[in-house]
Amino acid sequence: MTEEVVSLKNAAEKMDVLLDTLDELRASVTQEKLTQIRKTLFRGQGQSFDKSITHKLAKLCADAEDCVNRFEQLLTESKNEFQHAEATALEWEINQPKFITGSSFDEVPKRPSNHAQEMQNNTQLAKNELHGILDAWLVRAKKDRVYNVELEKIGTDAKGRLQGFMVSFNNVIKAGVSLTYEANYESTILLVSRVATFGYYEKKKIHESSDILLFQRITQLAINVLQQLDQKNIITELLDWISNYHDLFSLPCHKCSKFLAFQNPDDKFLLPIWRIVSEQNGRILSYHGGCLTGVVIFEE
Ligand SMILES: [Zn+2]
């Protein structure tokens, strides 16, 4: 594991502790306690003053102060790691060309304004068609694709709805896709809440993250691309998109013809992780991030 990944992991762990501390703080200020405080402060004239309430109020303040102190201490201790994490994220953001954005490197298109409407349209998908869509996609993939494709459905919620799946391509890459369901008026909307790619042989659950930088970078591209997929067909489009990486280890960069190319001091050498549809013949071409400059990206 590189120094940067260790540093980011440390920062993430500390952030978890900070969030737990915040939760603790929030939990210590209950509605009941607030009501007690209010009663104490606005007690009418002539009524006796309940000393136990002031005692409780003092205890509450002490608890809150203790939490705040610990929070501030952790925040100070983690300052360097947070700054580093922020700088790394910013650098990645800046160095990252945009994926499939029309005829040039414009801004990543915003979600269409009728996005909510589109999401409503996949109601059925959320309820009972999802299994059918996944099954049909898998049958088609096994028939059409010359490489191995496997898909495992994972978990159901209390209403029997699928919580996610793990899909793998060509014993090269696999992806964990987590799903959530959001009630919206009378309909239920299916949302892809998380996607993460892994090396085929990594033993990971769908909600975990890869230990390998290459797959962490592909995951970042996948998260970006989620916003740009047709929300009505998000599952099949996402599966097709991930499948473009079946030749991750065997397709050299279309520009420099190399497999490994130096990216930046953090990532060092990486395989070409960009997949672009060829303007000429519709074939999927691979590029290193740095080799994309000047490549015109057309929509699929
Ligand atoms: Zn290249």
Side-chain angles (χ1 to χ4, degrees), residues 43-113:
R43 195 163 275 244
Q45 275 187 333
Q47 288 184 12
S48 64
F49 196 72
D50 184 346
K51 281 186 182 153
S52 78
I53 290 178
T54 47
H55 180 74
K56 281 175 192 160
L57 182 58
K59 172 90 173 52
L60 171 67
C61 290
D63 287 350
E65 203 180 310
D66 180 47
C67 275
V68 169
N69 285 342
R70 275 188 289 152
F71 185 79
E72 276 179 355
Q73 192 188 337
L74 274 164
L75 208 56
T76 314
E77 280 173 16
S78 314
K79 202 176 150 205
N80 289 344
E81 275 140 328
F82 285 133
Q83 277 175 351
H84 179 77
E86 211 172 60
T88 308
L90 185 69
E91 193 182 339
W92 171 249
E93 188 78 14
I94 290 166
N95 290 338
Q96 187 175 218
K98 308 292 189 249
F99 189 79
I100 313 180
T101 61
S103 57
S104 62
F105 288 165
D106 294 325
E107 288 291 297
V108 174
K110 302 237 175 351
R111 279 167 184 261
S113 56

Side-chain angles (χ1 to χ4, degrees), residues 253-258 261 272 286-288 290-291:
C253 174
H254 189 68
K255 179 91 173 280
C256 70
S257 306
K258 288 179 190 163
S286 73
Y287 286 90
H288 296 110
C291 293

Side-chain angles (χ1 to χ4, degrees), residues 1-6 8-9 88 92 173 197-199 202 204 209-221 248-249 260-271 273:
M1 225 185 307
T2 68
E3 217 173 284
E4 280 72 23
V5 173
V6 173
L8 286 176
K9 276 198 153 185
T88 308
W92 171 249
I173 187 171
T197 64
F198 307 98
E202 281 191 281
K204 294 285 185 185
S209 300
S210 175
D211 294 327
I212 303 165
L213 182 71
L214 176 68
F215 294 100
Q216 292 166 6
R217 292 296 181 239
I218 296 172
T219 296
Q220 284 169 314
L221 296 182
L248 180 64
F249 298 128
L260 290 172
F262 187 80
Q263 305 297 302
N264 56 56
D266 280 330
D267 291 2
K268 308 210 166 52
F269 289 86
L270 270 192
L271 287 166
I273 60 166

